[in-house]
Amino acid sequence: PSVIVEESNLRAQVASLRKALRDGRDGARYIVTVPGRGYRFVAPTSYSDPRVMPTPVADRRSNVPVCLTRPIGRDTAISAVSGRFDRYRLATIVGAGGIGKTTVCLAVAEELAGSFEDGVCFLDLAPLKDPQLVSGVLACALGLAHVSEEPLSDVVAFLRQRQMLLVFDSCEQVIVAVAILAETLLKGTTGIRILATSREALRAEGESVYRLLPLETPPVSAGLTAAEALTFSAVQLFVERAASSGDVFELDDRDAPVVADICRQLDGIALAIELAAGRIDAFGTRGIAQRLDDRFRLLTGGRRTALPRHRTLGATLDWSYDSLSATEQRLLRHLAVFSGDFTFDSASAVVTDVDQADADVSCTLANLIAKSLVVANTNGTVACYRLLDTTRAYALAKLYESEELDPVVRRLAAYLCSILDHALSELEDVSGPEWLSRYGGHINNIQMVLDWARSPRGDPAVCTSLTVAAIPLWFQLSLVDECRDRVQRALQCITSETNRDAQARNVMQLYRALGLSRVFTIGLAPQASAAWAKALKIAEDLDDTEDQLEALWGLWFCQSGAGEYRAALRTGQRFRDIAESAADQCIGERLIGFPLLCMGDLTGARRHMDRKLGSHAVLAPDPVSANRSRFCQAIGSCALLAKTLWLQGFPDQAAYAAQSGVEKAQSTSHAISLCEALSKGACPVSLLTGDLATAEWSVKILLDHAAKHALGPWSVFGRCWQGALFIKQGDFVGGLRLLANALDELQKCRLFAHYVTGFLCFLAEGFAGAGRIPEGRAAIDQGLQRCEEKEELWCIAELLRLKGELFLQTDGADTVVADLYFLQSIEWARRQGALSWELRAATSLARLQRDRKHVRQAHDSLAEVYHRFSEGFTTADLQIASSLLNELS
């Protein structure tokens, strides 16, 4: 009386009674349904003295349900749990809902059944809500016909002399009662072993806990084959269940990455994978993958004979969520705002109750971990936590329903801004990999908050402040295209604020980031320079030297990349003049040195490098100076020094400087820095010295990183170097086609103007090798025109030499004109101090003089240049010169 009983619970209880009584077997009936009334007990009854020891109704060796499907990927777990009973009498399999605990439990029970003289007794405790019924249900399962009002004592007495395995499945709802029952049984018997499954440990005395992990899923791999995917248990389960759903299903290489992604998104949870595979006939693999955002509607339709909580994914999580306390439910909802890993501090930051003590959060978080709803990773220096994707999707839906989303996301945004401000202060003092390991994991949460801030219910101010704070992280992660898009959206969100200086600083930083990110992704469009100019104007209005330096660096980057060397030189001098710190002055010297190098003033360029940097200082380790330029300045210095050293006739030192730049970039784990080191140092120097093996490796790594991080201009740059490499390897047809197309793209992006003339040299060399002389001369003339228009004189000597070589290859070779071009080349090289270009020109002239029978003159002129080298005698140009000298001798 006066007790409300849910109808579904009542049905479950009656079903358990019928099962325990074997209702309907051999014609025996115990409980019948009375339409409109309920249930009636109809078996004959008799009275017995309760003081008489109860006896079993029958000798039942085992009542363990038979598994009709084989457990997949659980051999290790089954063996490990079975082995626990060599040392323990109580073992509990713990794991998230749907992960496969019951499957493993039944397999263990089947494997151990023969080891127990009195068999195995299986109890499904899922239907129970009342903990007081646990002992009585066990008594019924053991077949005790008559029990007293205290069934636990009767059960202990019955089991005292028996050898039996008791299996308690799904203990979550009555876990305290099960823990008490287990301890009482183990203390009152000697031959009893207990195997339990639960979403959290029983925490009973003598318990051994085995935490069941998700099925193995393949790592992200674009080239994953079906054979490789099928080595992972999650994919094996999907394929087997899909094949049994009706239609013939075989995994092929085309579907393998899709199925692998489905299994990853479902966190390797067995039930979710089975439900997804069951939809294969309706949607196909790609249809399932596309619908996983609405997985709780998709993943339904489990076996009709399965327990209600296992028929849909939502029911499984409802089962877990409903068992939580109100505090635990609230924290789980709030943790759903984290789309990746989170720490205890970040979890505390999003709790709605500001005054809630850390101790309360700690205790609640520990409970969620114990109940397999939060995954903990304590292997690092700081413990990290995360929600499985499916759990997060469920909790996020609950967060929306509770109308708590907005305040929680605001608190997360404030926390992220404070973390990113601290990260910026460490950027120049911490190595790249270590910095990224500390702060890189916040990127997913940043994306989530920004998506909210841009939504109708969001906050433009949050969008602006978090975007500004996240700019260094995007560049360090080489997510430049994402940075560009986010900054453009943030600029659209700018609103009037009372603090005009704060707004101006935000706008300035957004324009700086927009300018640089546009350069890195699409090249030097006019909008990039305009963005930097706006940033500089704001910095000048604010009278902020640091911000002016950053804007000047951006303007210099645009000017030098577009081939505006005089303007870049003036900007570099202005940068150096207002620079206050020694580090900034060093950068200023490089900004001056680079345009001087491009204009052919090698002595001046080297003087500015040596003044503040020096060859040794450039190669020494230094902090990651990415705060201003977003990539390591020392790497740019290495590349500049390498090229200058080669031109001046120090090929060994040049190769060392280029390799040092690559190693420094690799140590930062920063894609843009590595692309800089490879494209401007390793690739050109290795091709110039004839080290084709190093050139091939450098080009491959450059192309891989540019593609991986969507760095469009560097991808074009890499294809140019690949074309030049093919030409050097003798593949003139493939090299010319690749280099011509890529060079056209490179000129359109207007970012690496300095290298266009150099690539025209390679192009002319390829045309000469292919016998296409007129096209080769056209390429040279284009290069010479650039030299005149842009004062881009660094390789004019090589252009003149190549033009002379092409005149020698025309029908009726004009040796007089060729001789003139070789002499002009030597004159330019000597004027600039470019000993390496002079050696090439002297070698070409010596060949011509040899063919004219002027052997002594050829030998002496080449020897004079050759003997001015002090190193690099194993490089290609010096070996060619040495061989020719031996011939002339």
Side-chain angles (χ1 to χ4, degrees):
S2 303
V3 175
I4 298 175
V5 179
E6 294 182 4
E7 187 176 352
S8 60
N9 186 31
L10 179 60
R11 284 199 300 268
Q13 300 289 357
V14 171
S16 297
L17 283 173
R18 283 173 167 162
K19 181 179 178 181
L21 296 172
R22 296 183 172 184
D23 189 47
R25 296 190 186 182
D26 300 326
R29 297 307 306 273
Y30 296 92
I31 301 174
V32 297
T33 303
V34 182
R37 299 291 301 276
Y39 306 96
R40 177 177 294 170
F41 188 81
V42 296
T45 60
S46 62
Y47 174 82
S48 63
D49 189 343
R51 293 170 295 181
V52 178
M53 174 61 64
T55 57
V57 173
D59 180 17
R60 303 192 327 183
R61 293 283 301 168
S62 176
N63 67 338
V64 178
V66 177
C67 288
L68 301 180
T69 57
R70 65 185 181 93
I72 294 176
R74 294 307 192 188
D75 292 345
T76 301
I78 293 168
S79 175
V81 175
S82 299
R84 297 289 173 99
F85 289 105
D86 293 337
R87 296 181 56 193
Y88 303 96
R89 295 178 63 198
L90 169 61
T92 305
I93 302 173
V94 173
I99 202 168
K101 301 184 295 294
T102 300
T103 299
V104 173
C105 170
L106 294 177
V108 172
E110 182 178 350
E111 182 173 305
L112 296 178
S115 304
F116 293 92
E117 180 180 340
D118 296 297
V120 181
C121 180
F122 178 87
L123 268 74
D124 179 11
L125 299 175
L128 289 187
K129 296 285 187 179
D130 187 349
Q132 296 181 357
L133 299 178
V134 173
S135 298
V137 171
L138 176 57
C140 291
L142 291 171
L144 302 185
H146 308 287
V147 294
S148 65
E149 294 181 358
E150 296 294 335
L152 181 54
S153 60
D154 296 335
V155 170
V156 173
F158 172 72
L159 294 175
R160 186 168 288 122
Q161 302 302 322
R162 282 174 168 76
Q163 302 287 326
M164 181 176 283
L165 175 65
L166 303 179
V167 180
F168 300 155
D169 188 36
S170 302
C171 303
E172 300 88 2
Q173 305 280 21
V174 288
I175 194 165
V176 176
V178 174
I180 295 172
L181 173 64
E183 286 190 2
T184 303
L185 291 175
L186 294 179
K187 291 177 180 178
T189 66
T190 57
I192 299 302
R193 300 292 186 271
I194 300 175
L195 173 62
T197 71
S198 176
R199 299 185 189 185
E200 61 179 310
L202 302 183
R203 287 189 283 179
E205 184 179 351
E207 178 186 25
S208 173
V209 176
Y210 181 86
R211 186 165 292 278
L212 189 62
L213 298 177
L215 296 173
E216 292 183 337
T217 58
V220 177
S221 174
L224 185 71
T225 65
E228 292 168 342
L230 285 169
T231 61
F232 295 88
S233 54
V235 177
Q236 294 169 16
L237 178 64
F238 183 96
V239 171
E240 180 166 308
R241 298 299 184 263
S244 66
S245 66
D247 293 338
V248 176
F249 177 80
E250 291 185 7
L251 186 68
D252 56 27
D253 290 347
R254 185 188 62 171
D255 282 340
V258 181
V259 172
D261 185 57
I262 292 171
C263 294
R264 278 193 300 271
Q265 288 196 57
L266 296 177
D267 304 302
I269 301 297
L271 175 63
I273 292 172
E274 289 184 356
L275 293 172
R279 293 298 191 183
I280 196 78
D281 56 339
F283 303 111
T285 54
R286 282 167 174 74
I288 293 171
Q290 293 167 359
R291 289 169 171 81
L292 283 181
D293 286 342
D294 194 13
R295 63 189 67 185
F296 297 109
R297 290 189 181 182
L298 172 70
L299 303 182
T300 60
R303 300 189 317 274
R304 288 187 174 88
T305 56
L307 292 170
R309 69 181 187 280
H310 285 165
R311 292 177 189 168
T312 71
L313 189 60
T316 299
L317 287 166
D318 283 339
W319 173 268
S320 296
Y321 186 78
D322 291 343
S323 67
L324 301 177
S325 68
T327 302
E328 291 167 344
Q329 289 179 346
R330 183 171 62 251
L331 181 58
L332 182 65
R333 291 194 303 269
H334 294 178
L335 294 180
V337 297
F338 295 108
S339 57
D341 290 351
F342 58 89
T343 62
F344 175 78
D345 289 342
S346 54
S348 300
V350 301
V351 174
T352 301
D353 297 329
V354 179
D355 296 330
Q356 188 171 358
D358 283 351
D360 295 337
V361 177
S362 176
C363 181
T364 308
L365 179 61
N367 289 342
L368 294 177
I369 294 169
K371 295 177 180 180
S372 304
L373 290 167
V374 175
V375 179
N377 179 4
T378 57
N379 293 330
T381 54
V382 178
C384 289
Y385 312 94
R386 71 182 182 92
L387 301 183
L388 297 179
D389 287 347
T390 300
T391 306
R392 178 177 180 264
Y394 178 89
L396 196 57
K398 292 291 185 182
L399 185 62
Y400 274 96
E401 292 173 8
S402 67
E403 299 184 355
E404 299 168 331
L405 177 68
D406 295 348
V408 172
V409 176
R410 287 181 185 278
R411 290 175 62 78
L412 177 58
Y415 170 77
L416 289 172
C417 285
S418 66
I419 285 292
L420 292 172
D421 286 344
H422 181 71
L424 183 62
S425 68
E426 291 187 343
L427 189 57
E428 300 221 7
D429 300 320
V430 179
S431 68
E434 183 179 353
W435 192 90
L436 286 177
S437 70
R438 292 182 188 178
Y439 304 108
H442 292 293
I443 190 63
N444 292 330
N445 298 322
I446 292 169
Q447 293 164 341
M448 189 279 299
V449 173
L450 289 177
D451 288 341
W452 169 85
R454 286 274 298 169
S455 69
R457 64 192 298 167
D459 186 342
V462 171
C463 179
T464 302
S465 58
L466 184 56
T467 300
V468 170
I471 289 170
L473 182 60
W474 277 315
F475 276 99
Q476 285 301 299
L477 289 170
S478 300
L479 298 175
V480 188
D481 53 341
E482 180 180 337
C483 179
R484 180 197 63 214
D485 295 341
R486 295 288 189 181
V487 166
Q488 287 174 331
R489 295 171 192 168
L491 284 169
Q492 297 170 1
C493 292
I494 295 297
T495 58
S496 58
E497 294 182 1
T498 54
N499 189 339
R500 289 185 173 273
D501 282 355
Q503 176 176 296
R505 290 186 184 280
N506 283 337
V507 172
M508 175 182 61
Q509 294 186 64
L510 290 172
Y511 274 123
R512 285 196 312 233
L514 179 62
L516 192 58
S517 59
R518 291 186 69 91
V519 167
F520 285 169
T521 53
I522 62 175
L524 282 176
Q527 296 92 326
S529 297
W532 283 110
K534 290 179 181 178
L536 179 59
K537 178 64 170 60
I538 297 173
E540 290 172 341
D541 291 343
L542 294 173
D543 195 24
D544 190 310
T545 300
E546 176 63 27
D547 290 329
Q548 290 181 54
L549 288 174
E550 186 159 351
L552 285 169
W553 183 92
L555 279 176
W556 175 92
F557 194 83
C558 294
Q559 292 163 347
S560 60
E564 300 169 2
Y565 302 118
R566 288 291 175 185
L569 181 61
R570 289 192 296 270
T571 302
Q573 291 169 336
R574 183 179 174 188
F575 183 105
R576 184 195 59 185
D577 291 343
I578 67 173
E580 297 175 350
S581 69
D584 284 336
Q585 289 175 0
C586 288
I587 294 174
E589 296 295 344
R590 187 175 79 84
L591 302 191
I592 296 172
F594 179 77
L596 289 176
L597 170 65
C598 296
M599 292 188 291
D601 184 359
L602 303 186
T603 303
R606 184 68 184 275
R607 182 175 64 253
H608 282 280
M609 281 187 285
D610 289 343
R611 180 176 299 167
K612 291 294 182 183
L613 303 176
S615 59
H616 299 293
V618 170
L619 305 182
D622 71 333
V624 180
S625 56
N627 191 15
R628 174 172 300 115
S629 61
R630 309 305 177 199
F631 58 84
C632 183
Q633 284 290 344
I635 291 167
S637 298
C638 286
L640 176 61
L641 179 63
K643 193 165 187 177
T644 307
L645 286 169
W646 184 85
L647 289 170
Q648 289 184 319
F650 302 102
D652 288 345
Q653 292 182 54
Y656 174 72
Q659 181 60 30
S660 297
V662 172
E663 291 174 356
K664 185 182 293 294
Q666 288 175 322
S667 71
T668 66
S669 300
H670 188 226
I672 298 176
S673 296
L674 183 56
C675 287
E676 278 284 293
L678 292 167
S679 61
K680 297 182 179 179
C683 287
V685 169
S686 56
L687 283 172
L688 289 169
T689 58
D691 185 358
L692 300 188
T694 298
E696 187 170 6
W697 177 87
S698 301
V699 169
K700 180 182 183 302
I701 300 300
L702 172 59
L703 289 171
D704 288 347
H705 275 68
K708 180 179 179 182
H709 298 281
L711 301 174
W714 274 272
S715 181
V716 176
F717 208 177
R719 293 200 300 276
C720 286
W721 286 123
Q722 190 174 45
L725 174 63
F726 287 171
I727 290 171
K728 283 294 186 180
Q729 291 173 330
D731 181 4
F732 300 116
V733 175
L736 284 171
R737 182 174 59 250
L738 179 60
L739 180 55
N741 293 334
L743 186 55
D744 184 56
E745 292 183 61
L746 192 70
Q747 294 182 78
K748 289 179 181 177
C749 76
R750 299 177 67 245
L751 181 56
F752 305 110
H754 162 60
Y755 292 87
V756 171
T757 313
F759 285 126
L760 288 171
C761 293
F762 285 112
L763 199 63
E765 190 176 338
F767 283 131
R772 297 160 60 178
I773 305 305
E775 292 167 281
R777 292 175 65 174
I780 292 298
D781 289 341
Q782 182 184 350
L784 289 171
Q785 184 179 356
R786 288 181 62 87
C787 290
E788 181 179 351
E789 291 176 351
K790 294 182 174 293
E791 294 186 84
E792 196 174 278
L793 302 175
W794 70 276
C795 67
I796 189 173
E798 178 67 354
L799 287 167
L800 292 169
R801 183 191 73 84
L802 287 170
K803 190 164 187 177
E805 291 284 3
L806 289 169
F807 268 101
L808 291 178
Q809 293 187 39
T810 55
D811 294 336
D814 193 336
T815 58
V816 175
V817 175
D819 185 89
L820 178 62
Y821 279 118
F822 292 152
L823 290 173
Q824 288 180 0
S825 175
I826 292 173
E827 180 183 353
W828 269 104
R830 285 180 175 171
R831 187 187 310 169
Q832 295 175 345
L835 183 58
S836 290
W837 289 149
E838 185 179 354
L839 177 66
R840 286 191 177 185
T843 302
S844 293
L845 180 61
R847 287 199 196 99
L848 178 59
Q849 291 171 334
R850 176 199 61 189
D851 295 342
R852 289 174 169 177
K853 309 303 182 184
H854 301 158
V855 177
R856 171 61 63 184
Q857 182 181 0
H859 176 276
D860 291 349
S861 61
L862 179 59
E864 189 275 330
V865 178
Y866 179 85
H867 290 308
R868 277 192 272 142
F869 280 85
S870 60
E871 63 178 61
F873 297 106
T874 60
T875 57
D877 290 344
L878 284 160
Q879 286 187 327
I880 292 171
S882 176
S883 177
L884 182 56
L885 284 173
N886 291 334
E887 178 188 342
L888 295 173
S889 297

